[in-house]
Amino acid sequence: MPGLEYFPKTEAAPASSSRVAESSHLESQETLNGGPSRPDVYYNPRLDPKNYLEGPLSVNAATRLRQMLARPGIVVAPGICDGISARCAIEAGFDCMYQSGAATTASRLGQPDLAIATLNDFVGAAQMVCSINPSVPVIADADTGFGGPANVARTVRQYISAGVAGMHIEDQVQTKRCGHLMGKQVVSREEFLTRIRAAVIARDSIPGGSDFVVIGRTDSAQVLGMEEAITRLKLAADAGADVCFIEGVKTAELLRSTVAALAPKPVLVNVISGGLTPSFTYPEAEKLGAKIIIFSLVSCVAMVHSVRAAMQSLKKTGTDFSSAKGMDPKSFFEVMGLNEVIELDAKAGGSAFAVV
């Protein structure tokens, strides 16, 4: 299987002498390429961040995300829940988006984030969102990977096929819940690392190579404490996670110390208004050392407020005139890409949309 030469078989415990011997070739290769010399640490020289420091931003979303991670500046990814929110994020000038699992579950199923959505729900949403502008990286929630190692690998392959640039996979039990709800349960360290290894192996097995970004997420801080959460993320990084995501960081100082403990791995912070994490602005998060900040529910919460108000207004007044705020159908469709469709049709020699 391509790529496996970069992935030594390791456990959470220190490497045994036999594993050191088995991975001596890997160790020497890493040393030659300036990577880690420890045999129990994953290293793929092709994916070294230094390879993404120079040159124009790629049109390939995964490669572009790696370039953004390797270069200065925080990556800001607003949470999107459907095509409308994705269009609005792009229109606002965001150069990365986040497909929240909670938002996807809410928008596609009208259900809470309690492990109700399936892989097919997530992939279907991703295919649509990534097709709007394939060069804009989309980071997608992958929950627990939807099963064992084979399921995790399948998730990675389907996300890559859908055009997703990176995904995070967590250590909650299969019947997971939103990371900002109480009562969470997590799996053992080794089961978490098995998920990370499966994701990395699947990514590295893509023919021709893939720049897909694997993000390790732990929800253990609220269950087992910050020390355990940091340990799990260090182990996930050693197993090949490109980015570390600690859910529910409750203070600025904890975020700062987490970044320091995990350096040089990039750290992702998730901000949800009213959630466990303070409402950091992205400049504040950048000063604290975070490399990615996601605002998971920014679109769907705003949508609930707006749609609620519009429905209540319609019920009360009998018309949607006030809630439309002057936006006629053509103006609405222009936000959805009407002009691009008209231009394409005309370039192809069509005349179906000469007048709209």
Side-chain angles (χ1 to χ4, degrees):
M1 186 176 285
L4 294 188
E5 65 271 19
Y6 299 127
F7 198 86
K9 295 181 179 179
T10 65
E11 305 294 333
S16 66
S17 57
S18 62
R19 293 211 318 274
V20 171
E22 289 171 2
S23 54
S24 60
H25 172 70
L26 172 67
E27 181 176 7
S28 62
Q29 181 184 48
E30 290 172 345
T31 304
L32 286 172
N33 286 278
S37 58
R38 284 172 49 200
D40 58 336
V41 175
Y42 168 92
Y43 179 66
N44 184 337
R46 187 183 68 80
L47 299 178
D48 193 301
K50 69 176 181 292
N51 297 328
Y52 299 87
L53 287 171
E54 298 178 354
L57 289 176
S58 174
V59 296
N60 178 277
T63 304
R64 179 174 290 214
L65 179 57
R66 284 193 177 272
Q67 291 172 321
M68 294 165 70
L69 290 173
R71 301 175 188 189
I74 191 168
V75 177
V76 183
I80 48 94
C81 57
D82 60 6
I84 296 175
S85 56
R87 286 281 186 183
C88 290
I90 294 170
E91 181 185 59
F94 287 101
D95 53 11
C96 186
M97 296 185 290
Y98 172 61
Q99 180 177 303
S100 158
T104 301
T105 303
S107 64
R108 293 182 74 85
L109 304 179
Q111 296 289 334
D113 185 14
L114 298 174
I116 297 171
T118 67
L119 173 59
N120 289 344
D121 294 318
F122 279 44
V123 171
Q127 287 171 332
M128 178 271 297
V129 167
C130 294
S131 70
I132 292 174
N133 187 332
S135 292
V136 175
V138 173
I139 299 170
D141 190 345
D143 280 359
T144 62
F146 305 100
N151 300 83
V152 173
R154 179 170 179 259
T155 298
V156 169
R157 291 191 292 268
Q158 292 210 20
Y159 273 32
I160 291 174
S161 296
V164 173
M167 74 174 208
H168 63 76
I169 187 163
E170 67 197 50
D171 59 355
Q172 284 198 58
V173 296
Q174 293 293 338
T175 50
K176 62 145 290 176
R177 63 193 63 195
C178 170
H180 291 253
L181 294 177
M182 298 298 102
K184 291 185 291 184
Q185 294 178 293
V186 295
V187 298
S188 67
R189 287 184 189 177
E190 185 54 37
E191 186 169 348
F192 175 44
L193 295 178
T194 297
R195 294 173 183 176
I196 299 296
R197 294 185 194 111
V200 173
I201 291 170
R203 188 268 316 281
D204 288 358
S205 301
I206 298 296
S210 170
D211 284 344
F212 188 74
V213 175
V214 175
I215 302 170
R217 163 178 157 171
T218 183
D219 285 73
S220 61
Q222 287 73 53
V223 183
L224 302 173
M226 285 295 296
E227 184 176 347
E228 174 65 16
I230 297 296
T231 297
R232 287 183 177 224
L233 289 180
K234 286 181 177 179
L235 291 169
D238 287 352
D242 300 294
V243 177
C244 294
F245 174 1
I246 187 165
E247 183 66 288
V249 179
K250 293 184 177 180
T251 68
E253 185 50 45
L254 281 176
L255 177 56
R256 191 194 309 275
S257 62
T258 298
V259 169
L262 296 171
K265 282 290 180 180
V267 171
L268 182 155
V269 62
N270 180 23
V271 173
I272 297 177
S273 181
L276 296 171
T277 301
S279 293
F280 299 121
T281 65
Y282 58 80
E284 288 171 342
E286 184 173 18
K287 287 181 181 178
L288 293 168
K291 186 60 184 178
I292 306 177
I293 184 169
I294 58 177
F295 295 87
S296 296
L297 299 183
V298 61
S299 60
C300 56
V301 168
M303 205 170 290
V304 167
H305 288 308
S306 298
V307 175
R308 267 182 169 174
M311 292 298 179
Q312 290 167 1
S313 175
L314 175 60
K315 182 71 172 177
K316 181 179 180 179
T317 67
T319 177
D320 69 344
F321 182 80
S322 61
S323 62
K325 298 181 180 180
M327 177 175 279
D328 59 28
K330 185 176 180 181
S331 298
F332 171 73
F333 295 137
E334 284 174 348
V335 179
M336 299 302 111
L338 174 64
N339 292 333
E340 290 91 329
V341 175
I342 292 173
E343 182 181 357
L344 173 63
D345 184 75
K347 282 183 177 179
S351 58
F353 306 115
V355 178
V356 291

